[in-house]
Amino acid sequence: KQEVTQIPAALSVPEGENLVLNCSFTDSAIYNLQWFRQDPGKGLTSLLLIQSSQREQTSGRLNASLDKSSGRSTLYIAASQPGDSATYLCAVSRHTGTASKLTFGTGTRLQVTL
Amino acid sequence: GAVVSQHPSWVICKSGTSVKIECRSLDFQATTMFWYRQFPKQSLMLMATSNEGSKATYEQGVEKDKFLINHASLTLSTLTVTSAHPEDSSFYICSAIEKRRYNEQFFGPGTRLTVL
């Protein structure tokens, strides 16, 4: 059974700092990995999707890497802003016929302070 | 593109009543939708896979007679929580797979259910 773990569980940084969020998974036979952002009481916003054949994806100040063989992914946020405060979830998918099921990590609650 | 909506965004009901939650893909057709449940400060747990025109597939430990799923069209899936109890209070989120991008799920904004 796939298990996804995120470290740290919570993180507080001052504005402007660069930071790294970690995600690890136990079964390397994944189809892809996604990073999401969730604001309190809200749904999920997809940030980055990395296919299993890729090693990284970038979008603006965000960069996600994937090392499938070691079961790890990192989300790098450059020049953090208070608006980045949210819970960040990683999720890995397994292919099941015509659809891909996601297994979510435990999340990292990020607080960026002024 | 690839927008998913949910209705209602929140609902409060009495114990023993049934509640229906709708999930719609607004600008694409979705042959497959997923239903998740999220308890406070916990991650999302997959409840079931909803396939258009066929029966839903439930994850282990999820009661199919309690959580009824209907996927009657390519843009609508419904989750009905039957005879709701306080322990069913949770945040329910759906997602949909766009046929041309079958490896990516698009999520709805969630529905907060509170059972008194």
Side-chain angles (χ1 to χ4, degrees):
Chain A
K1 178 185 175 185
Q2 178 74 272
E3 291 185 7
V4 183
T5 304
Q6 291 184 243
I7 295 173
L11 180 65
S12 181
V13 300
E15 181 180 14
E17 203 166 282
N18 302 325
L19 58 102
V20 175
L21 307 181
N22 297 290
C23 172
S24 62
F25 46 95
T26 54
D27 185 350
S28 62
I30 64 171
Y31 190 68
N32 61 43
L33 182 145
Q34 282 184 262
W35 282 93
F36 296 90
R37 169 188 172 133
Q38 185 177 30
D39 293 290
K42 304 293 185 182
L44 275 66
T45 300
S46 180
L47 298 174
L48 291 165
L49 181 149
I50 310 177
Q51 301 283 7
S52 62
S53 58
Q54 299 174 324
R55 294 195 64 85
E56 68 175 337
Q57 283 287 334
T58 299
S59 176
R61 295 182 293 110
L62 306 179
N63 175 276
S65 68
L66 173 64
D67 185 342
K68 203 174 76 161
S69 61
S70 67
R72 296 174 188 268
S73 175
T74 61
L75 178 66
Y76 175 82
I77 302 177
S80 59
Q81 303 171 357
D84 295 331
S85 299
T87 295
Y88 290 81
L89 296 165
C90 75
V92 296
S93 72
R94 65 182 188 274
H95 202 213
T96 58
T98 58
S100 296
K101 291 187 177 182
L102 289 175
T103 301
F104 280 85
T106 46
T108 294
R109 290 191 305 280
L110 172 65
Q111 179 75 36
V112 180
T113 58
L114 291 170
Chain B
V3 179
V4 177
S5 70
Q6 280 185 243
H7 179 79
S9 56
W10 60 270
V11 56
I12 301 173
C13 69
K14 293 182 179 180
S15 186
T17 60
S18 294
V19 175
K20 181 186 284 188
I21 302 170
E22 294 184 347
C23 176
R24 294 182 184 272
S25 55
L26 298 184
D27 51 2
F28 66 100
Q29 294 182 328
T31 54
T32 301
M33 292 183 173
F34 298 93
W35 286 97
Y36 297 84
R37 180 168 52 184
Q38 185 179 34
F39 291 107
K41 298 195 176 182
Q42 294 188 23
S43 195
L44 279 73
M45 296 297 294
L46 179 65
M47 297 175 65
T49 304
S50 171
N51 299 298
E52 186 265 336
S54 63
K55 290 184 178 180
T57 305
Y58 292 82
E59 295 299 300
Q60 191 173 7
V62 178
E63 300 174 57
K64 62 180 182 180
D65 294 330
K66 175 145 187 83
F67 299 99
L68 301 179
I69 292 173
N70 186 300
H71 195 152
S73 77
L74 286 172
T75 59
L76 174 64
S77 175
T78 61
L79 168 68
T80 301
V81 183
T82 62
S83 187
H85 291 285
E87 58 265 30
D88 298 323
S89 298
S90 188
F91 193 54
Y92 292 86
I93 304 178
C94 72
S95 70
I97 290 182
E98 213 255 46
K99 286 174 72 174
R100 293 168 296 179
R101 298 166 64 176
Y102 70 97
N103 59 337
E104 187 168 2
Q105 292 184 30
F106 296 93
F107 285 78
T111 296
R112 171 75 58 193
L113 170 63
T114 302
V115 185
L116 302 176

